[in-house]
């Protein structure tokens, strides 16, 4: 392209300034009116080859005739990044471009031109400069991906949308440089025709052109698409290509076909969950999809439902499986009709093939089946007590194998009480012991035994059967009295008595009503006791006499049941006869008395208990009182008045100074105890008082004299030293000798009042313990 012509703009401001000056002459001072420069946009082609710098426009003010003016430009591309794309001659006002421009990087620039004098003062208003970069076709169309994936159903009609492709061109899309057009360069494979698809040249949409898409023949197409700018002009435009992969999706247009018209298999009788035949199919649809998965159905030949067909998910084969056991004696073979379909329905317009139906022959193989008891369990009724060797029944089994000649042998499998035996050949049951309904092995009157039947087939098979014997009760158990122990009041009263009953292991009608009676011997039983009937099961045992001594009595009672013939039993009931309270209950004393103790022993026991409790009570009270006194003393004594340091309590009276000389010979065995030493060998006690006449001690004189008292004590000491009957025959000394009394008069004869005046106020100085005496005898008026 030709370079754009340079525009030189010169402005004349003098005339305009003068006219504006005249129109504003009334204003204060002289003010110059600015005017805007108007410069048309400058178009610069991108990728210009120069030479650079290349002048774009010339700017000049008419002020440069009178003064020196400097020109400058500002904006992006001048003094802002990218810097130095444009420059200006500050004196001549010519603006230049210094390098090639790229429209795809920046399509326009906005600059401002400035004019100032040598002092930097603005002489013209800034003028806007717009530079537009003219687009050149320097960019090819670009696809976002090199490979695009799409799909279309097989059998689609012409015009069916398949996929969309789009290319982008960085050139100006308002010009031919950026207008892209599409076309298909090639299609692989060419089946069924080379042009199965077409593309919209402007939008890039791919659609089908012809019918005949078949996934089973061609499952995928590869199409190369070309995008060209300059509106698709192959001579001037730039091009690029991409690949479109079109997958033909499967529809169920192929029904499954069984590979054979007939299939066969065999199954052993009485077997389940085993595969007996394998069915194979061919399906050309996509494997392991609902269009390919086979579903088998048995439409005839199996009315009871012995078989089902399971599909193998990997091979699509059908496995005929036994779900109910088959019997060779009833069906030796099965003729099944099988039909197969897909999991998904067939596409519209597709007809099912006749090869989707086949026949399956299943042969049943005879095997040795175990013998069975036709009636299992078998119930029979017999009276208990039948003797050993009694034939009860024949418990025989049947062999289901009618086409095999086999024999059966019998044996006993479970016989808890060992009462039965079975004939090994014919199954006859015979008793080996007496049947007892009351045995622990009988539950609800039924005794169960299990027997085994084994045939002689190959391999041998066995079956079990249960025999239930219902035992009819007979009266073979006498009743027993209940309770075995009880108690009753010693004195007869209106409500006194013991309710008695009986227990019987038999059942109706061999139990109640019971008959209770007392035996005639010994005679004291009926003399002291009586039995009265309450109802069929209960009676009352009570006293016949008014009073019976408390103790334990063993009272015999005869109990008879209602069997035919009835059975009787003599039972003993232990009755405690004891004193009772007003409520008719045995008292504690009565219970002890009933245990066999006499009245004296009972009283002694009670007295001992009372004494023991009294001693414990006194000891507790004494301990509490002592603790209380100790605490009270501590609270009453003032620390300052405490006299414990100067008043001593002497509460022990010793024997005096003369008593300090001990005669250890008194602790030795005296010679006079020959009657003890002469005892035979064995245990000999020396601490017992000898059986000899006691020594006579001197009699204390009636009127003592100080000298006589000392003589009296010495004589008594000598007599005690020579007395063989004196201690130590015991560890405790008891001084119970009072003597003949004291010659001193009674202390009560002393007059407590003083005959003379005496001052007791000094007692107040002796501490709190003497304060009471001071109050009593000190100064003060008598009340």
């Amino acid at each position: 392209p030709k370079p754009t012509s340079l525009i030189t703009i010169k402005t004349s401001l003098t005339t305009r300034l003068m006219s504006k000056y005249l129109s504003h002459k009334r204003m204060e001072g002289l003010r110059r009116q600015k005017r805007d420069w108007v410069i048309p946009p400058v178009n610069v082609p991108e990728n210009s080859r120069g030479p650079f710098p290349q002048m774009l426009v010339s700017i000049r003010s008419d002020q440069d005739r009178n003064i020196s003016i400097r020109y400058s430009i500002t904006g992006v591309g001048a003094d802002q990044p990218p810097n130095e794309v444009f420059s200006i001659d500050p004196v001549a006002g010519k603006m230049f471009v210094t390098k090639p421009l790229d429209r795809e990087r920046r399509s326009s620039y906005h600059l401002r031109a400035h004019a100032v004098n040598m002092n930097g003062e603005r002489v013209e208003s800034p003028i806007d400069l717009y530079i537009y970069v003219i687009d050149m076709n320097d960019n090819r169309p670009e696809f976002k991906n090199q490979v695009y994936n799409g799909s279309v159903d097989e059998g689609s009609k012409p015009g069916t949308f398949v996929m969309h492709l789009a290319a982008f061109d960085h050139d100006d899309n308002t010009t031919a440089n950026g207008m892209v057009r599409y076309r298909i360069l090639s299609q692989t494979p060419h089946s069924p025709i080379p042009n199965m698809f077409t593309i919209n040249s402007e939008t890039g949409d791919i659609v089908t052109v012809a019918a005949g898409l078949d996934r089973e023949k061609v499952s995928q197409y590869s199409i190369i698409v070309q995008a060209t700018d300059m509106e698709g002009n192959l001579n001037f435009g730039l091009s690029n290509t991409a690949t479109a992969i079109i997958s033909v999706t499967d529809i169920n247009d192929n029904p499954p076909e069984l590979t054979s018209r007939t299939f066969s298999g065999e199954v052993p009788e009485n077997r389940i969950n085993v595969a007996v035949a394998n069915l194979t199919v061919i399906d050309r649809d996509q494997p392991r999809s609902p269009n390919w998965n086979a579903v088998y159905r048995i439409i005839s030949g199996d009315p009871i439902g012995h078989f089902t067909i399971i599909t193998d998910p990997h091979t699509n084969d059908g496995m005929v499986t036994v779900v109910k056991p088959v019997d060779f004696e009833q069906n030796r073979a099965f003729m099944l009709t099988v039909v197969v379909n897909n999991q998904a329905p067939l596409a519209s317009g597709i007809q099912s093939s006749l090869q989707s139906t086949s026949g399956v022959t299943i042969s049943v193989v005879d095997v040795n089946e175990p013998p069975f008891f036709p009636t299992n369990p078998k119930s029979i009724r017999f009276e208990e007590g039948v003797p050993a060797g009694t034939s009860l029944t024949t418990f025989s089994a049947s062999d289901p194998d009618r086409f095999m000649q086999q024999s059966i042998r019998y044996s006993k499998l479970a016989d808890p009480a060992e009462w039965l035996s079975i004939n090994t050949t014919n199954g006859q049951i015979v008793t080996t012991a007496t049947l007892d309904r009351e045995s622990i092995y009988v539950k609800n009157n039924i005794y169960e035994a299990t027997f085994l039947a084994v045939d002689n087939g190959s391999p041998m098979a066995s079956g079990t059967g249960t025999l239930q014997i219902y035992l009819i009760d007979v009266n073979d158990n006498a009743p027993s009295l209940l309770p075995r122990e009880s108690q009753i009041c010693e004195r007869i009263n209106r409500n006194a008595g013991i309710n008695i009953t009986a227990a019987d292991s038999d059942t109706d009608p061999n139990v109640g009503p019971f008959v209770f009676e007392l035996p005639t011997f010994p005679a004291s039983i009926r003399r002291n006791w009586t039995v009265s009937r309450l109802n069929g099961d209960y009676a009352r045992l009570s006293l016949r006499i008014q009073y019976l001594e408390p103790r334990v009595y063993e009272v015999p009672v005869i109990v008879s049941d209602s069997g035919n013939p009835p059975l009787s039993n003599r039972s003993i009931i232990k009755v405690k006869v004891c004193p009772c309270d007003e409520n008719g209950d045995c008292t504690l004393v009565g219970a002890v008395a009933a245990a066999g103790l006499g009245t004296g022993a009972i009283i002694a026991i009670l007295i001992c208990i009372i004494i023991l409790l009294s001693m414990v009570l006194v000891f507790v009270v004494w301990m509490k009182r002592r603790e209380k006194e100790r605490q009270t003393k501590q609270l009453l004594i003032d620390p300052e008045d405490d006299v414990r340091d100067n008043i001593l309590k002497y509460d022990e009276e010793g024997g005096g100074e003369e008593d300090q000389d001990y005669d250890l010979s008194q602790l030795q065995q005296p010679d006079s105890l020959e009657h003890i030493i002469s005892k035979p060998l064995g245990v000999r006690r020396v601490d017992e008082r000898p059986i000899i006449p006691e020594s006579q001690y001197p009699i204390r004189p009636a009127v003592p004299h100080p000298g006589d008292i000392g003589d009296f004590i010495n004589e008594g000491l000598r007599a005690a030293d020579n007395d063989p009957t004196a201690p130590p025959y015991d560890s405790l000394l008891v001084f119970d000798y009072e003597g003949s009394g004291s010659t001193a008069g009674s202390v009560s004869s002393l007059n407590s009042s003083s005959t003379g005046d005496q001052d007791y106020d000094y007692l107040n100085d002796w501490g709190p313990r003497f304060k009471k005496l001071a109050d009593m005898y000190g100064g003060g008026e008598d009340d």
Side-chain angles (χ1 to χ4, degrees), residues 53-117:
Q54 183 178 3
M55 192 181 73
L56 300 179
V57 66
S58 178
I59 303 172
R60 186 165 183 173
S61 173
D62 55 1
Q63 294 288 330
D64 61 356
R65 297 178 182 178
N66 300 323
I67 60 176
S68 297
I69 295 178
R70 294 292 181 268
Y71 301 95
S72 64
I73 56 175
T74 59
V76 177
D79 60 344
Q80 299 177 18
N83 302 77
E84 300 179 355
V85 177
F86 302 96
S87 63
I88 190 171
D89 188 340
V91 177
K94 296 181 180 179
M95 189 178 73
F96 301 91
V97 59
T98 62
K99 61 180 67 176
L101 302 181
D102 187 357
R103 191 201 69 85
E104 285 71 41
R105 181 172 296 177
R106 192 174 187 87
S107 61
S108 64
Y109 296 87
H110 178 202
L111 304 177
R112 304 195 79 180
H114 306 272
V116 298
N117 58 20

Side-chain angles (χ1 to χ4, degrees), residues 52-333:
F52 297 102
Q54 183 178 3
M55 192 181 73
L56 300 179
V57 66
S58 178
I59 303 172
R60 186 165 183 173
S61 173
D62 55 1
Q63 294 288 330
D64 61 356
R65 297 178 182 178
N66 300 323
I67 60 176
S68 297
I69 295 178
R70 294 292 181 268
Y71 301 95
S72 64
I73 56 175
T74 59
V76 177
D79 60 344
Q80 299 177 18
N83 302 77
E84 300 179 355
V85 177
F86 302 96
S87 63
I88 190 171
D89 188 340
V91 177
K94 296 181 180 179
M95 189 178 73
F96 301 91
V97 59
T98 62
K99 61 180 67 176
L101 302 181
D102 187 357
R103 191 201 69 85
E104 285 71 41
R105 181 172 296 177
R106 192 174 187 87
S107 61
S108 64
Y109 296 87
H110 178 202
L111 304 177
R112 304 195 79 180
H114 306 272
V116 298
N117 58 20
M118 298 302 293
N119 295 326
E121 298 176 351
R122 187 176 64 182
V123 297
E124 297 287 351
S125 297
I127 186 173
D128 293 324
L129 297 176
Y130 293 95
I131 295 93
Y132 294 102
V133 182
I134 300 174
D135 181 47
M136 305 294 290
N137 190 19
D138 58 346
N139 290 280
R140 293 178 180 274
E142 294 181 1
F143 288 97
K144 183 178 181 180
N145 302 315
Q146 286 299 312
V147 177
Y148 291 84
N149 293 302
S151 62
V152 62
D153 290 340
E154 62 176 330
S156 297
K157 297 179 180 180
T160 303
F161 174 80
V162 179
M163 60 187 301
H164 171 77
L165 277 76
F168 179 78
D169 197 321
H170 292 281
D171 292 327
D172 189 0
N173 58 5
T174 61
T175 65
N177 296 334
M179 296 181 180
V180 180
R181 299 294 183 267
Y182 304 93
R183 70 189 185 100
I184 295 177
L185 294 182
S186 64
Q187 168 192 312
T188 304
H190 293 182
S191 176
I193 59 174
N195 299 317
M196 288 295 296
F197 307 94
T198 185
I199 187 170
N200 189 304
S201 62
E202 295 184 1
T203 62
D205 293 338
I206 298 178
V207 297
T208 59
V209 177
L213 291 175
D214 190 351
R215 191 204 65 84
E216 287 72 38
K217 294 180 179 179
V218 178
S219 60
Q220 182 176 286
Y221 290 90
S222 177
I223 296 176
I224 298 177
V225 178
Q226 183 184 53
T228 306
D229 58 14
M230 297 301 291
E231 297 182 296
N233 191 323
L234 299 178
N235 295 325
F236 304 103
L238 302 177
S239 300
N240 214 335
T241 60
T243 302
I245 304 298
I246 301 175
S247 299
V248 181
T249 56
D250 183 51
I251 64 172
N252 193 13
D253 57 346
N254 292 281
E257 298 178 359
L258 290 162
T259 58
S260 177
R261 298 296 298 172
T262 59
F263 295 90
S264 62
E266 64 179 18
V267 55
E269 62 175 337
N270 302 321
R271 294 283 301 277
I272 60 173
N273 297 327
V274 293
V276 297
N278 191 57
L279 312 181
T280 56
V281 295
I282 296 176
D283 196 323
R284 291 184 293 273
D285 290 321
Q286 184 176 357
R288 296 171 184 83
S289 68
N291 300 329
W292 178 81
N293 294 336
V295 178
Y296 299 88
R297 290 185 300 112
I298 300 174
I299 60 177
S300 65
D302 186 21
I304 303 178
H306 289 284
F307 304 95
T308 188
I309 303 178
I310 301 174
T311 303
D312 188 324
H314 301 287
T315 62
N316 220 21
D317 294 345
M319 296 175 289
V320 182
T321 306
V322 183
V323 293
K324 290 183 180 181
V326 295
D327 189 357
F328 176 81
E329 284 71 29
Q330 295 181 359
N331 293 295
R332 298 188 180 185

Side-chain angles (χ1 to χ4, degrees), residues 653-663 713 717 721 733 735:
E653 296 183 4
E657 294 179 355
E658 295 180 359
D659 198 30
Q660 300 301 316
D661 297 331
Y662 298 103
D663 187 5
I713 293 175
L717 177 61
D721 292 340
L733 298 180
F735 295 91

Side-chain angles (χ1 to χ4, degrees), residues 479-552:
S480 60
L481 186 67
L482 292 177
R484 294 306 182 100
E485 295 181 358
S486 186
Q487 61 185 18
I488 193 171
C489 297
E490 62 182 355
R491 296 188 181 276
I492 188 171
N493 57 62
R494 183 175 59 185
N495 297 323
I498 302 171
N499 291 339
I500 58 176
T501 185
D504 197 329
S505 300
D506 294 322
T507 185
D508 287 334
N510 298 319
V511 286
F514 299 103
V515 177
F516 302 90
E517 57 183 350
L518 297 175
T520 58
F521 181 82
S524 60
I525 299 300
R526 291 198 173 187
R527 184 174 61 250
N528 297 336
W529 304 91
T530 181
V531 174
S532 59
R533 178 185 175 90
L534 296 179
N535 53 39
D537 294 329
Y538 288 89
R540 173 168 292 183
L541 175 67
S542 57
L543 288 174
R544 179 184 293 273
I545 61 178
Q546 293 296 325
Y547 172 80
L548 190 62
E549 182 180 356
R551 65 182 180 86
V552 178

